[in-house]
Amino acid sequence: MAKMTISGLQSAMASYVAAAKQAGSWSASTGNFVGLLDKIGKQVTIDGGFYDKLPELDGDELPLGKTIEEWFIDLTLPVAYTDVTTDGADDIVPALPSVESVAYCYSLGRQKVKTTVPFDNFERAMISAQESANVGAKILERLQNSYDLTKFAIKKQLIGNAIDKAVTAGSYTNIAAPVDTATGEAFIKQLKKDVEAAQFAHMGNCLAGSSCLIGGSPELVLYLKKGVLPELEVETYAGAFNREDLAVPCRIKIVDDFGTITNSGAYAILVDPRGIKTHNGYNALRSKENADGDFINFVRHFEITGFISKYAFMKVYKPS
């Protein structure tokens, strides 16, 4: 018998564990004296996560009208008081407050996702009743997965649209993405300033522009493009003497992209979460059995109105 060595074992296993025998296409074999097909011993499917990671952007339902109408009443500047010796001629003069332009958000239109479950079809390929049931259940699960991932993509595009609109309105800061200690600390410093400012009534930092006085935000969320937070954690936090001083003062949500947007270099947006929402106007699952074709169709119908406020805090961060 040959003496085992590390190099010899590696060479032997490279030949034995042939790469063509994993993750390949079907190849029939009859390695038995009867000549029957060698049987499948196990059937498996490995699944990942297909879900909507932005549940906080779900707004309330719109069972009737589908358009969202947003209004905003301005504050009124006080004037000097006139004493009682005057005739009170202004007593019956109206003093209606000024208002901002009404804004509208419209339905994105009807969409549908369809799938079919055939009868007496995949069962013939299964090695157990459990595996057969798993396939049927997985078809319906994929229908839900498809809807969830679509809803997630809609929300990301809505954030992307808000980024483009905020940049157009001038509500942005040109600042380098954090890639080292210096840029990380600079970004956190700017973010802290913006969070602090957003807590008070202030002019601008909304889609209505710098002439609009909006109130303080009760909550803020930082939507951050993937890849930025690891740089902050490793390059900035790791070298901090007092980590609490560098802590980001808002809730952080990571997204893999902001959809397709004009300002593709933007890597973050700080928002009042009330200012971006998706509203379901219709959401129904229908089924129809086809007796002649011996299958059943399932169709998920949905209609969504995307809402972006003109009068909620929004601030974009992008390189120069």
Side-chain angles (χ1 to χ4, degrees):
M1 299 296 289
K3 177 181 178 180
M4 180 182 288
T5 63
I6 291 178
S7 61
L9 181 61
Q10 288 176 334
S11 177
M13 290 306 100
S15 175
Y16 175 64
V17 189
K21 291 189 176 182
Q22 300 93 45
S25 57
W26 167 249
S27 177
S29 63
T30 55
N32 58 86
F33 81 95
V34 187
L36 298 174
L37 283 173
D38 294 336
K39 297 301 185 285
I40 303 271
K42 182 177 181 179
Q43 294 174 319
V44 62
T45 180
I46 296 178
D47 222 346
F50 301 98
Y51 40 78
D52 177 3
K53 298 187 69 174
L54 299 171
E56 74 279 2
L57 296 188
D58 286 324
D60 51 352
E61 304 290 319
L62 299 177
L64 298 176
K66 310 304 180 188
T67 301
I68 298 175
E69 188 174 43
E70 184 185 21
W71 51 274
F72 190 87
I73 297 178
D74 294 318
L75 280 69
T76 301
L77 188 69
V79 296
Y81 170 73
T82 304
D83 65 35
V84 294
T85 59
T86 62
D87 59 5
D90 289 341
D91 187 49
I92 60 173
V93 176
L96 294 174
S98 64
V99 297
E100 298 292 329
S101 299
V102 178
Y104 294 88
C105 296
Y106 300 95
S107 167
L108 302 177
R110 285 274 294 269
Q111 294 275 291
K112 68 177 183 179
V113 184
K114 181 178 180 180
T115 195
T116 299
V117 178
F119 297 118
D120 191 34
N121 182 287
F122 52 80
E123 290 87 350
R124 67 184 65 244
M126 297 296 103
I127 60 175
S128 70
Q130 182 61 52
E131 289 298 332
S132 178
N134 287 345
V135 172
K138 185 60 70 175
I139 292 174
L140 294 180
E141 182 184 333
R142 281 291 184 261
L143 185 66
Q144 181 64 40
N145 292 154
S146 300
Y147 170 75
D148 290 340
L149 211 57
T150 299
K151 190 83 177 287
F152 182 46
I154 289 171
K155 291 175 179 178
K156 290 190 295 181
Q157 185 62 57
L158 204 58
I159 295 173
N161 291 352
I163 288 173
D164 280 342
K165 289 177 181 292
V167 171
T168 299
S171 185
Y172 67 93
T173 293
N174 284 329
I175 186 168
V179 295
D180 52 29
T181 301
T183 54
E185 290 179 352
F187 172 67
I188 292 175
K189 182 178 180 180
Q190 180 62 52
L191 184 61
K192 286 191 170 191
K193 288 181 179 179
D194 292 334
V195 170
E196 187 176 71
Q199 296 173 5
F200 301 91
H202 60 278
M203 303 291 289
N205 285 330
C206 65
L207 302 189
S210 58
S211 63
C212 185
L213 173 60
I214 64 172
S217 300
E219 181 187 6
L220 292 167
V221 178
L222 180 70
Y223 290 103
L224 202 59
K225 207 168 184 179
K226 71 175 182 180
V228 177
L229 190 59
E231 297 290 344
L232 280 174
E233 291 177 334
V234 173
E235 300 294 341
T236 306
Y237 288 151
F241 177 75
N242 189 339
R243 184 180 179 124
E244 286 70 26
D245 288 341
L246 285 175
V248 176
C250 59
R251 195 152 55 98
I252 298 177
K253 294 298 294 281
I254 307 297
V255 293
D256 50 339
D257 61 71
F258 294 130
T260 301
I261 61 175
T262 302
N263 294 276
S264 57
Y267 58 87
I269 179 171
L270 181 66
V271 302
D272 182 331
R274 298 173 302 172
I276 302 177
K277 293 292 181 186
T278 52
H279 297 267
N280 273 332
Y282 187 64
N283 192 353
L285 179 63
R286 308 298 183 194
S287 62
K288 178 68 173 179
E289 192 172 288
N290 186 309
D292 191 53
D294 202 24
F295 60 82
I296 184 169
N297 284 330
F298 294 91
V299 184
R300 181 74 173 267
H301 295 271
F302 60 95
E303 181 176 4
I304 292 172
T305 298
F307 172 70
I308 299 177
S309 172
K310 283 184 67 176
Y311 307 105
F313 180 92
M314 292 184 189
K315 184 71 174 291
V316 173
Y317 303 91
K318 67 185 191 70
S320 301

